[in-house]
Amino acid sequence: MFYNRKQSNTLDNVSAFASKNKIRILIVVVLVIYLLSFVSFKSNIENNNNNNNNNNNNNNNNNNNNNNNNNNNNNNNDFINNNNNNGNIKCMDFKKKESCEIDSSTQYDSAIVVLGYSLHSDGMPTQILKERVVLACEYYSKLNDVEGGKTKLILSGKGKEESTDPDKAFNSEAEAMNEIALQNDVSPLDILIESNSSNTAENARFTLNYLNKIGVQRLFIVTSDFHVLRSQYIFQTVFPPEFDLVFVGALTPLKVQQSKRDNEKILFKNAKKDLESIGALEIPGEKIEGYHPYRNLPRWRMIERELNLDNREVAGTKMADYGSNQGFFSIQLAQKFPDATVFSFEGEAMNEYKSAASIHENKIDELGLKNNYLCKTRILPSMFEQLSQKHHHLYEYQFCLSIFHWFDMKTQQDFEDTLSNHLISSRTTFIELPEAMNYKGKEGQHAWGRVNVWYANRTEDEILYDIREKYNIPKMTWKTLGAILHENNTVRKLIRVDVNFENDVRQPLSKSTLVEEIYNCGQLMH
């Protein structure tokens, strides 16, 4: 009874106390909950900081071992693997041309690099950037799930400055791209963040260095449609010809493409400077010949990559180079295929470059080439007609780089007849045509008035499609390899055209027939 009475009194007292002090009790409870939450939050932060400090220490140790300096890890790390379960960071110091250890435990057979694009002012990714990453993820799934490969996804897009604004959704392009990739079912173990490049040329150089480390030679470059030509120019120049490069452009509205066109020309000029700054327009220990040397190496890289992919048996075949740029392309071709015969037709006869042929001839003598024949003549449309229609001649490869508009063609019909005959006379043609635009005469384009007549407001693709249909060449295919900014500020595409027939009767003519009957070379210069 005593116990029960005491318990009752105690409960009554507690109840009375609670009734009088309920507000104070509520405040105490809230404070206790807040303090417990704060302690828990602080503990998590300290754990994270400890992990980050450990990771940073590991990274700094790696940087010290490789670079012998104590620079911040953010300045030295260009490549960061997303598999940060153990805080493992991979890095490359571009300026010092040194690299940290690359994890080669996973064997990849291909890679995809996504080129970055600026964020909105609030840090959110733009629609253009989203579509690039989503398209790359689609290719990632196809390569891995459908083709059974193993693909590395490289996200390249830090920009010149990296913000640390806490109010922004993302503080870098790469961070935003990473989030989009993860949302699209890309394994974090397959993601690599390239976070230190400031332009596309550096994107290309960093990517090349990394692929060399992991032994991958097949690369998909994903960007937007309006940026593909400039990306081709840069990546084709930076990457050696043994790499297989595939360019993919995410589609944008026509209005966006048109708005970007003029700016892309300005950026083409910047791209040339960017390539020069990383030494990509040079061949170590070798002088690049030709009257436009800075344009020659990029174009040859584009062409040689195709030649390597073809891997054809060319012994005994004949090849042609129209306007061979002081012999640069002809000599490259003759050296690459010593068992083929290369005929070169220099531009000296057109009085534009008076010393071109003699420079070419001296180079042939210097190298002791026996398979490069130099013909000084004026190329006429009638010659292509004889080659294709009368003789059914076949070149294995022919080059016509920035020279086709010099041929004497007055009307649209003349242009189409000459172009079709030219393309039919070779299995594969590498051709560079004037930019498709409506010329006003101030651009500095040779024969600009005639170009307007020839093109009739068509693009290069539309012209080739019309040629295929009009002249009944169903097995004619083409693709754009890249583009070069000309001195007159026009962008000229380098296009590969392949022509095949079901019952192909084309055969290479003899040297004497070509020299004497077709081109009227008379005495070969060499």
Side-chain angles (χ1 to χ4, degrees):
M1 293 294 296
F2 181 76
Y3 178 80
N4 288 337
R5 187 176 62 249
K6 185 176 181 181
Q7 182 184 37
S8 175
N9 290 338
T10 301
L11 289 175
D12 290 341
N13 292 337
V14 170
S15 176
F17 177 84
S19 176
K20 293 180 180 180
N21 299 278
K22 58 184 177 182
I23 295 177
R24 293 178 181 178
I25 293 172
L26 180 62
I27 293 173
V28 170
V29 170
V30 170
L31 288 174
V32 169
I33 293 173
Y34 175 79
L35 289 172
L36 290 174
S37 299
F38 177 77
V39 170
S40 175
F41 176 77
K42 184 177 180 182
S43 176
N44 288 336
I45 292 294
E46 288 175 349
N47 288 335
N48 288 335
N49 286 337
N50 287 335
N51 289 335
N52 289 333
N53 288 334
N54 290 334
N55 293 339
N56 288 333
N57 288 335
N58 290 334
N59 293 330
N60 289 332
N61 288 335
N62 287 336
N63 287 331
N64 289 335
N65 292 334
N66 286 283
N67 300 323
N68 294 322
N69 61 53
N70 292 316
N71 292 334
N72 285 332
N73 194 48
N74 288 334
N75 293 329
N76 288 333
N77 287 328
D78 298 326
F79 289 118
I80 303 179
N81 268 332
N82 211 23
N83 55 334
N84 52 6
N85 295 330
N86 58 358
N88 194 17
I89 293 180
K90 311 301 181 185
C91 63
M92 297 190 74
D93 188 339
F94 173 71
K95 294 180 180 179
K96 293 181 176 295
K97 297 182 179 179
E98 296 177 353
S99 60
C100 299
E101 182 181 354
I102 299 296
D103 181 11
S104 59
S105 58
T106 301
Q107 295 298 317
Y108 293 95
D109 50 42
S110 60
I112 301 171
V113 59
V114 191
L115 304 184
Y117 192 81
S118 57
L119 303 174
H120 286 301
S121 58
D122 62 357
M124 289 297 291
T126 58
Q127 187 64 24
I128 287 176
L129 183 59
K130 290 179 185 177
E131 290 174 351
R132 290 183 185 185
V133 181
V134 170
L135 181 59
C137 294
E138 291 175 0
Y139 271 80
Y140 169 87
S141 297
K142 180 181 178 182
L143 291 170
N144 288 355
D145 301 338
V146 179
E147 298 184 9
K150 187 64 178 173
T151 307
K152 193 74 174 179
L153 182 64
I154 304 171
L155 305 177
S156 183
K158 173 186 176 183
K160 294 184 178 180
E161 296 181 359
E162 187 169 1
S163 169
T164 55
D165 188 344
D167 294 329
K168 288 190 174 182
F170 296 101
N171 288 314
S172 71
E173 295 170 23
E175 182 184 344
M177 295 163 77
N178 181 58
E179 182 66 23
I180 298 170
L182 292 175
Q183 291 175 357
N184 282 270
D185 300 324
V186 177
S187 168
L189 298 177
D190 292 336
I191 295 178
L192 189 75
I193 298 176
E194 189 278 280
S195 60
N196 202 42
S197 59
S198 59
N199 56 58
T200 307
E202 290 184 359
N203 290 154
R205 177 64 82 192
F206 291 141
T207 304
L208 173 62
N209 289 344
Y210 179 73
L211 295 189
N212 279 332
K213 289 289 184 182
I214 64 173
V216 170
Q217 292 193 330
R218 186 189 187 198
L219 176 67
F220 292 78
I221 300 96
V222 179
T223 184
S224 300
D225 47 13
F226 60 81
H227 184 228
V228 167
L229 284 179
R230 187 157 53 89
S231 300
Q232 287 175 315
Y233 167 52
I234 293 170
F235 273 80
Q236 294 267 32
T237 303
V238 170
F239 274 69
E242 58 267 22
F243 281 83
D244 181 9
L245 304 182
V246 180
F247 295 86
V248 185
L251 297 179
T252 58
L254 182 60
K255 185 177 180 180
V256 172
Q257 297 177 42
Q258 292 173 339
S259 68
K260 297 289 185 181
R261 181 169 180 170
D262 290 340
N263 189 51
E264 278 297 301
K265 287 190 176 183
I266 296 173
L267 294 174
F268 253 102
K269 292 182 180 180
N270 294 340
K272 175 179 175 290
K273 296 176 182 178
D274 294 337
L275 288 171
E276 288 175 332
S277 70
I278 63 173
L281 292 178
E282 304 171 356
I283 300 178
E286 180 178 334
K287 179 184 177 182
I288 300 177
E289 304 289 349
Y291 34 76
H292 298 301
Y294 79 90
R295 298 204 321 245
N296 288 348
L297 181 60
R299 290 189 291 185
W300 175 244
R301 282 277 169 81
M302 296 177 195
I303 293 171
E304 189 177 16
R305 196 178 317 281
E306 295 296 306
L307 301 178
N308 288 351
L309 290 171
D310 287 349
N311 194 27
R312 294 180 189 170
E313 177 54 58
V314 297
T317 63
K318 291 182 172 62
M319 305 177 186
D321 181 14
Y322 295 95
S324 64
N325 207 315
Q326 296 179 355
F328 176 81
F329 296 103
S330 293
I331 289 170
Q332 299 292 334
L333 200 57
Q335 289 180 311
K336 187 172 185 66
F337 299 125
D339 296 326
T341 302
V342 179
F343 292 89
S344 304
F345 309 98
E346 275 292 357
E348 183 176 349
M350 289 183 280
N351 296 319
E352 185 185 12
Y353 304 104
K354 295 185 178 297
S355 61
S358 58
I359 293 174
H360 186 169
E361 187 173 25
N362 291 337
K363 195 67 177 179
I364 291 174
D365 288 333
E366 177 186 334
L367 297 172
L369 296 176
K370 304 299 182 183
N371 63 330
N372 185 194
Y373 294 96
L374 178 57
C375 175
K376 182 180 178 182
T377 189
R378 183 181 181 85
I379 300 298
L380 302 171
S382 59
M383 295 176 178
F384 299 124
E385 183 178 7
Q386 290 184 64
L387 287 171
S388 64
Q389 303 302 320
K390 180 180 178 180
H391 295 285
H392 305 293
H393 170 69
L394 179 67
Y395 285 122
E396 191 66 30
Y397 291 108
Q398 66 178 357
F399 296 177
C400 190
L401 306 180
S402 288
I403 194 71
F404 195 82
H405 53 279
W406 285 93
F407 303 151
D408 188 18
M409 303 168 290
K410 295 181 175 61
T411 67
Q412 180 181 334
Q413 186 65 50
D414 291 341
F415 168 72
E416 292 177 352
D417 287 344
T418 303
L419 181 56
S420 64
N421 286 325
H422 176 55
L423 297 175
I424 289 172
S425 65
S426 182
R427 195 182 311 279
T428 300
T429 301
F430 295 99
I431 189 168
E432 199 174 63
L433 296 170
E435 181 180 1
M437 60 184 291
N438 186 26
Y439 292 93
K440 305 296 184 182
K442 59 184 179 181
E443 300 86 0
Q445 171 62 49
H446 172 74
W448 64 271
R450 288 188 179 183
V451 174
N452 288 340
V453 172
W454 301 338
Y455 281 25
N457 295 317
R458 295 174 294 176
T459 65
E460 295 91 341
D461 285 330
E462 290 170 335
I463 290 170
L464 292 171
Y465 177 82
D466 288 346
I467 293 290
R468 182 174 65 186
E469 298 302 307
K470 182 176 180 178
Y471 297 92
N472 191 26
I473 318 172
K475 290 194 173 184
M476 173 177 152
T477 60
W478 62 90
K479 69 174 180 178
T480 299
L481 305 181
I484 300 294
L485 184 68
H486 195 264
E487 283 79 359
N488 62 17
N489 205 36
T490 61
V491 177
R492 293 182 180 173
K493 296 178 181 178
L494 177 55
I495 303 173
R496 170 184 175 146
V497 183
D498 291 279
V499 173
N500 292 288
F501 293 97
E502 193 70 39
N503 298 308
D504 202 340
V505 297
R506 296 174 297 172
Q507 294 290 332
L509 293 173
S510 66
K511 173 186 168 184
S512 60
T513 301
L514 289 170
V515 170
E516 298 169 11
E517 295 184 26
I518 305 299
Y519 297 113
N520 302 312
C521 293
Q523 182 69 34
L524 281 175
M525 292 185 65
H526 199 284

